[in-house]
Amino acid sequence: MRHFKILLLLLACSLYMTAQETYPFVQRDTTLHLDLYRPAAPNGYTVVHVFGGGFVRGARNLKWDADYCRQLTENGYTVVSIDYRLGLRGATNIGVTNIQPLEDAIYMAAEDCAAAVRYLVDNAGSLGIEPDKIILEGSSAGAITVLMTDFARCNSLACAAELPENWQPAGVVAYSGAIYSNSGPLKWEKQPAPTLLFHGQVDKIVPYKQITLYPRGLYGANAIVKKLDKYEYPFQVYRFPGLGHEVSVCGPLTVEELNLFVQQYIRAGRRIFKDITFSDEAYPPSEYSKLTLKDLFNKKK
């Protein structure tokens, strides 16, 4: 879990890459596609990867995302990298007094994630996927999307309507993510999937704690695990003091942690509540720590 600056340089230099297989999965205002990466030695689990970019930018097939997907295949995972609609592209002045565009973008992305899952489950036989072994994983806006998809499933929200009936993810993995609620503090009507969270404690883009203007709120890792712990829902959280949104791109550095989570929480089904704080000079802050929401939304693109 080192060399954040190198990762950020690679991310900035991303180019589009071609996947092993590409399929259209839903028609919206345009056709959304997914890229499928197959491992040489499958472990039975499929990771649905959702890219980041503030609901403003990004793509399923950027070089950074494709390289990370291929890294996961080296660990035995079948990986599916998906499109979703970027609901904040062109938006400006997003904030507590103008939250509706963000709400719409989050629900739109979760709806597209649900449609991708529906496609995978409906075509599981031909794709060689086990529906009950699908893990949702995302970075930044993608992390919000996967957390929101499971939260919507648990609470029967409209954006989860396309999920297969009685389906639930094997697990949810979020790098600098949050859950949005427009009905007060977080609660789940059904048990959420085992959840793995990574978050920088000084993140200025996706809140590590929470931002609320009742009844609306955006709840980051710290707020999420308080509720998960209260209701005794299995979780694992990695907290990074002094780091900000660069944690959103630490996926390639945390594959061992992901593997352990799959082994203990998913494969073995253990009900674990693990809270880990990293405090190590090997994880220095970068310029990425200083980015704020204004850098994403309050400048014309």
Side-chain angles (χ1 to χ4, degrees):
M1 299 177 58
R2 290 174 168 83
H3 311 306
F4 280 113
K5 291 183 179 180
I6 295 175
L7 270 177
L8 294 171
L9 179 62
L10 291 174
L11 186 60
C13 297
S14 291
L15 299 173
Y16 292 97
M17 299 290 285
T18 301
Q20 292 172 299
E21 303 169 34
T22 299
Y23 302 94
F25 68 86
V26 73
Q27 183 68 40
R28 302 298 194 202
D29 52 342
T30 186
T31 303
L32 302 184
H33 293 81
L34 58 83
D35 290 341
L36 192 150
Y37 301 81
R38 297 188 185 276
N43 64 14
Y45 289 93
T46 297
V47 174
V48 174
H49 170 69
V50 186
F51 65 85
F55 303 105
V56 174
R57 59 181 66 87
R60 73 179 193 280
N61 53 352
L62 290 178
K63 184 179 185 301
W64 184 88
D65 296 271
D67 287 347
Y68 176 48
C69 291
R70 291 190 174 95
Q71 182 182 0
L72 291 177
T73 66
E74 293 171 1
N75 284 262
Y77 300 100
T78 298
V79 185
V80 177
S81 185
I82 70 167
D83 280 337
Y84 62 94
R85 290 166 291 172
L86 300 177
L88 290 180
R89 179 173 282 175
T92 58
N93 298 316
I94 305 300
V96 293
T97 59
N98 185 31
I99 198 70
Q100 190 63 48
L102 177 60
E103 176 180 311
D104 293 342
I106 291 172
Y107 286 151
M108 188 184 299
E111 183 178 50
D112 293 341
C113 184
V117 170
R118 181 73 190 222
Y119 178 87
L120 295 176
V121 172
D122 287 350
N123 296 277
S126 60
L127 295 175
I129 288 173
E130 298 183 54
D132 61 343
K133 293 183 178 180
I134 296 175
I135 300 165
L136 303 180
E137 174 274 326
S139 166
S140 189
I144 294 174
T145 299
V146 297
L147 287 166
M148 198 68 209
T149 300
D150 193 44
F151 183 75
R153 173 191 68 84
C154 293
N155 294 297
S156 301
L157 302 184
C159 61
E162 292 183 72
L163 286 176
E165 187 176 1
N166 298 322
W167 179 86
Q168 64 181 44
V172 176
V173 182
Y175 294 91
S176 304
I179 297 174
Y180 175 78
S181 171
N182 62 5
S183 57
L186 296 180
K187 60 182 179 180
W188 293 263
E189 294 180 2
K190 299 177 183 177
Q191 180 168 324
T195 303
L196 173 59
L197 299 160
F198 299 84
H199 216 134
Q201 292 183 325
V202 294
D203 196 325
K204 295 180 176 64
I205 293 181
V206 178
Y208 165 71
K209 294 182 178 179
Q210 62 191 49
I211 298 175
T212 59
L213 185 63
Y214 191 83
R216 295 173 167 180
L218 190 62
Y219 299 87
N222 187 65
I224 292 170
V225 298
K226 283 183 178 179
K227 290 291 187 176
L228 293 176
D229 187 49
K230 176 181 178 180
Y231 296 118
E232 298 186 345
Y233 296 141
F235 71 85
Q236 185 168 6
V237 60
Y238 290 87
R239 309 171 190 261
F240 295 82
L243 294 186
H245 204 59
E246 61 264 59
V247 174
S248 68
V249 293
C250 75
L253 305 176
T254 59
V255 175
E256 288 186 12
E257 285 76 11
L258 171 62
N259 289 338
L260 186 62
F261 173 75
V262 172
Q263 291 167 10
Q264 294 183 341
Y265 286 73
I266 300 175
R267 192 185 298 275
R270 296 175 60 189
R271 294 185 59 80
I272 308 173
F273 316 95
K274 188 176 292 187
D275 194 322
I276 300 170
T277 298
F278 280 98
S279 184
D280 192 321
E281 293 180 357
Y283 315 131
S286 74
E287 292 299 312
Y288 210 42
S289 295
K290 300 177 182 179
L291 290 178
T292 69
L293 287 175
K294 289 183 179 180
D295 298 309
L296 287 177
F297 304 130
N298 294 352
K299 293 181 181 180
K300 293 185 177 180
K301 304 297 182 289

